Amino acid sequence: MIELQNVNKWYGSYHALVDIDETIHRGEVVVVCGPSGSGKSTLIRTFNRLEPIQSGRILFEGKDIHAPGTDVNVFRSRIGFVFQQFNLFPHLTVLQNCTMAPMQLRGLTRKEADERAMALLQRVGLANKANAWPSELSGGQQQRVAIARALAMQPPLMLFDEPTSALDPEMVGEVLLVMRDLTRDGMTMVCVTHEMGFAREVADRVLFMDEGKVLERATPDDFFNRP
Ligand code: ADP
Ligand code: ADP
């Protein structure tokens, strides 16, 4: 689904991604781990062009997403992204956050958009908060709304950038539960996370990064059980 071919990225003179070759297949759950500053966030941000790259190619469904002239919105509507900070619009209700631009652009009626959003809020356990403001929700609830909002575009690929790192510990579980639920549905997912229990349970593959390189790729069993 995503194929990286010899990808390199620099921030000025800092070599942030070094010769990355990686393929993520449909239905795979990949967890990216490694020390802070190793390039994990940069890596997944290149997948939907939140970060430009300086050399190499990234193919999504066979198309080069960094090719000049490519419409970035086409990819962004196909790739859901959940950030560490939930980035909800504070002046919109929970429901409105989920019915914003993406669905309207796809020509759904207001009613259809609302129904789809309600079904997603149901799925993340927040149907009863549809008319609340983001500021009325806990961090864990806000992150679950952010996940519902990303799912509203019905993306075939979901990217998560440390989705639980900004949460109080007691709220981490409810977000991981929603993510687990997605893996059961066969969603293709790439998750940057320090939640190794989650990785162990649901990852098909773990990538370990350091200094801009993917140093290891392994099944969770191999990764966690090696001496
Ligand atoms: P991680 O997600 O593994 O913590 P990042 O991908 O956020 O790592 O960052 C990798 C390296 O690139 C870090 O050294 C970071 O300081 C640097 N970096 C990230 N974003 C920028 C930027 N916009 N400009 C300059 N350097 C950056
Ligand atoms: P994360 O690892 O979740 O991306 P960071 O705190 O590393 O969070 O980065 C937050 C923002 O600051 C990102 O947009 C990143 O690109 C930018 N950033 C990170 N490191 C640097 C840096 N050394 N110089 C400039 N911008 C940076």
Side-chain angles (χ1 to χ4, degrees):
M1 174 165 285
I2 284 247
E3 189 179 349
L4 289 87
Q5 300 172 342
N6 201 24
V7 168
N8 283 275
K9 172 173 183 67
W10 283 266
Y11 290 111
S13 60
Y14 183 76
H15 202 170
L17 295 177
V18 183
D19 295 337
I20 309 276
D21 282 294
E22 208 58 62
T23 301
I24 287 145
H25 301 279
R26 197 172 293 277
E28 245 190 335
V29 177
V30 175
V31 167
V32 184
C33 62
S36 179
S38 57
K40 308 179 297 293
S41 177
T42 300
L43 179 73
I44 66 165
R45 291 166 66 90
T46 65
F47 287 13
N48 69 350
R49 243 169 71 180
L50 284 170
E51 293 287 353
I53 60 175
Q54 277 78 38
S55 74
R57 294 208 304 168
I58 301 179
L59 305 179
F60 173 68
E61 297 178 325
K63 296 191 195 76
D64 182 348
I65 71 165
H66 290 264
T70 311
D71 179 3
V72 73
N73 291 317
V74 173
F75 296 104
R76 296 215 180 133
S77 69
R78 304 273 299 153
I79 302 176
F81 205 110
V82 176
F83 298 87
Q84 183 174 339
Q85 296 298 338
F86 333 118
N87 295 332
L88 299 178
F89 297 104
H91 56 289
L92 298 177
T93 66
V94 163
L95 184 70
Q96 287 165 342
N97 263 280
C98 297
T99 55
M100 281 286 302
M103 284 184 289
Q104 309 296 6
L105 286 181
R106 289 165 131 230
L108 295 188
T109 65
R110 173 74 180 277
K111 182 158 171 287
E112 287 167 333
D114 281 355
E115 279 170 6
R116 188 191 289 178
M118 279 308 294
L120 290 168
L121 288 173
Q122 187 98 47
R123 183 166 175 189
V124 301
L126 290 173
N128 60 337
K129 299 287 185 190
N131 296 315
W133 302 103
S135 59
E136 298 175 291
L137 304 185
S138 71
Q141 289 173 332
Q142 289 187 55
Q143 191 61 304
R144 283 148 62 198
V145 174
I147 294 173
R149 181 178 60 180
L151 290 171
M153 298 182 295
Q154 302 183 312
L157 172 65
M158 285 284 286
L159 305 176
F160 292 85
D161 190 359
E162 302 203 16
T164 59
S165 297
L167 299 176
D168 291 334
E170 67 270 22
M171 290 162 192
V172 169
E174 64 193 55
V175 172
L176 293 179
L177 204 64
V178 168
M179 292 171 68
R180 262 191 213 102
D181 183 52
L182 288 179
T183 68
R184 287 202 194 95
D185 278 3
M187 176 66 82
T188 311
M189 288 170 45
V190 183
C191 313
V192 175
T193 181
H194 298 289
E195 297 293 337
M196 289 301 117
F198 174 80
R200 198 168 198 145
E201 198 184 327
V202 304
D204 297 303
R205 241 169 355 123
V206 176
L207 304 183
F208 179 80
M209 291 191 70
D210 198 11
E211 298 186 340
K213 302 187 187 94
V214 177
L215 290 190
E216 292 190 47
R217 30 178 90 62
T219 64
D221 274 353
D222 285 346
F223 190 80
F224 294 109
N225 295 333
R226 82 167 48 114

